[in-house]
Amino acid sequence: MNDIHSRIEALRAALGGRLAILGHHYQSDEVVAHTDYRGDSLELSRRVPELSAGHIVFCGVFFMAESAAVLAREGQKVHTPAPEAGCTMSNMAPAPLLAAVLESLGRAGRRVTPLTYVNSSAEVKAVCGRFGGSVCTSANAKTMLAWALGQGEAVLFLPDKNLAANTADTLGLSRDERHVLDIRALGSRLDLAAASRARLLVWPGCCSIHHRFRARHVAEARAAHPGCLVAVHPECPDETVRAADAAGSTSFLIDFTAKAPAGSTLVIGTEEALVHRLAKQYAGEKTVLPLKDVRCGNMAKTTPERLAALLETLDRAEPVRVAPEIAESANLALRRMLDACARA
Ligand code: 13P
Ligand code: SF4
């Protein structure tokens, strides 16, 4: 083991049960090697309240660490080695704009339940909590959209228009029951007449990484590797999901690869750190190829050096803080998700 890795392991050993390190599947192999738990967004958020460690270090992007902080028990501190690691999709939904849009829809007489993808700020989750809504992840989006549709007249799904379309497709919601909101000019251009007819109102955001995976890439992969199986993340455009053999969360993609027969060729459409890890893991048994090589620059901001630097100063490091009034409403939204999924 090189210096940095032995330093991290020594720090982990010294902290023992006081520390738990969580890592998202998009973290690099060098970071993942030091995690106690690895998972998709749903698995990691479920894990947090069960942990007994006083210090939780979240290797991922900021909204994930923030959700962990909202779900953490009294006295637990959540840290992240790269607090500036944002998410392009999360940035597309500012909380004041969401609140303004919900208020306009409400004034127009619509009872709308907001459902935010977990890739959003704590403030956005708090607005959803206050308006009777909840949160979903890519792994439970179908369950949660069905839940939200059962709450009122319409659902506002945000920020990901691709996950919205793909989930609506799995529920069989027809195209004319959906309406993509025009949120420009601070929400003053909403088409309230169109919004009043739709059951699913869609925020026009997307992931700058997954939006690049196109149906033509799937066609090219099938031409280059006849008989290959293609699986993609549901943040990809709906045309890409329809062209693929399967779609699901990062954990689904891992499972799909594990279950594919020996000798198969799998083409996976998601962030490259995960695809390269799967390719290494199954080398000699199955061929795993990226649909396209794309790295999430924000996920890459967590490095072994930054993890070591955080662990060295953990007792005096500033944890992730969420203002109590935001945390309370965001917690309500997240708890509704955990409860609805426990019942499903
Ligand atoms: P998962 O919930 O599937 O882990 O995805 C999170 C994410 O940010 C994908 O871009
Ligand atoms: Fe956000 Fe996309 Fe990166 Fe996931 S891959 S963290 S959605 S920018």
Side-chain angles (χ1 to χ4, degrees):
M1 243 199 296
N2 68 22
D3 266 8
I4 190 78
H5 293 292
S6 31
R7 211 163 97 217
I8 295 173
E9 284 312 300
L11 288 160
R12 280 180 80 194
L15 286 154
R18 295 173 55 219
L19 168 72
I21 306 184
L22 273 53
H24 187 264
H25 291 309
Y26 292 162
Q27 291 293 298
S28 67
D29 288 352
E30 292 69 32
V31 170
V32 153
H34 302 293
T35 54
D36 296 295
Y37 305 100
R38 205 192 320 162
D40 65 16
S41 306
L42 178 61
E43 291 157 348
L44 293 174
S45 49
R46 269 198 186 133
R47 180 78 63 184
V48 173
E50 298 164 3
L51 296 173
S52 55
H55 288 293
I56 297 166
V57 170
F58 205 118
C59 300
V61 289
F62 191 72
F63 74 78
M64 295 181 177
E66 213 182 30
S67 296
V70 166
L71 288 168
R73 286 181 291 100
E74 186 79 30
Q76 276 180 320
K77 288 183 176 160
V78 176
H79 310 265
T80 182
E84 82 289 6
C87 162
T88 50
M89 181 199 293
S90 160
N91 295 344
M92 291 177 194
L97 181 55
L98 170 63
V101 166
L102 286 167
E103 275 153 23
S104 297
L105 293 166
R107 276 195 302 274
R110 216 76 235 274
R111 279 205 308 121
V112 176
T113 304
L115 182 64
T116 185
Y117 189 26
V118 70
N119 298 29
S120 53
S121 67
E123 284 90 342
V124 161
K125 294 182 180 83
V127 173
C128 291
R130 285 204 304 276
F131 279 79
S134 186
V135 180
C136 74
T137 72
S138 61
N140 66 20
K142 185 178 175 190
T143 304
M144 290 311 299
L145 181 55
W147 172 89
L149 287 166
Q151 302 301 302
E153 295 170 348
V155 173
L156 167 51
F157 190 103
L158 71 151
D160 190 3
K161 63 179 179 185
N162 292 333
L163 184 62
N166 291 319
T167 311
D169 283 347
T170 63
L171 284 174
L173 209 70
S174 71
R175 306 256 146 188
D176 44 359
E177 289 180 285
R178 313 178 196 177
H179 171 66
V180 179
L181 295 171
D182 185 345
I183 55 165
R184 289 173 299 171
L186 302 173
S188 60
R189 294 194 196 166
L190 291 178
D191 180 345
L192 292 171
S196 73
R197 291 188 296 271
R199 281 183 75 207
L200 179 62
L201 305 170
V202 178
W203 198 268
C206 67
C207 163
S208 54
I209 306 299
H210 288 89
H211 200 63
R212 292 188 223 166
F213 296 101
R214 296 299 167 143
R216 72 180 159 80
H217 298 128
V218 178
E220 283 162 16
R222 293 200 196 280
H225 310 283
C228 69
L229 292 167
V230 183
V232 301
H233 196 278
E235 288 174 14
C236 295
D238 56 351
E239 52 150 49
T240 314
V241 168
R242 279 195 298 277
D245 297 298
S249 76
T250 49
S251 288
F252 169 87
L253 297 172
I254 293 169
D255 202 44
F256 184 84
T257 308
K259 287 182 177 148
S264 47
T265 296
L266 296 138
V267 180
I268 309 291
T270 197
E271 207 272 354
E272 64 178 52
L274 173 56
V275 186
H276 292 162
R277 184 174 311 122
L278 290 170
K280 264 192 252 165
Q281 188 182 339
Y282 291 99
E285 195 191 329
K286 305 169 194 184
T287 305
V288 180
L289 302 165
L291 183 59
K292 187 176 164 58
D293 263 322
V294 203
R295 183 79 175 113
C296 173
N298 282 310
M299 283 284 178
K301 286 178 181 161
T302 299
T303 58
E305 288 72 18
R306 294 190 74 177
L307 177 58
L310 172 62
L311 296 183
E312 262 155 10
T313 57
L314 201 60
D315 279 319
R316 38 182 212 285
E318 182 61 18
V320 175
R321 291 201 193 279
V322 182
E325 64 284 5
I326 304 283
E328 195 185 327
S329 303
N331 189 286
L332 180 65
L334 281 160
R335 292 266 154 214
R336 284 186 187 129
M337 171 185 87
L338 296 175
D339 291 349
C341 291
R343 286 194 305 272

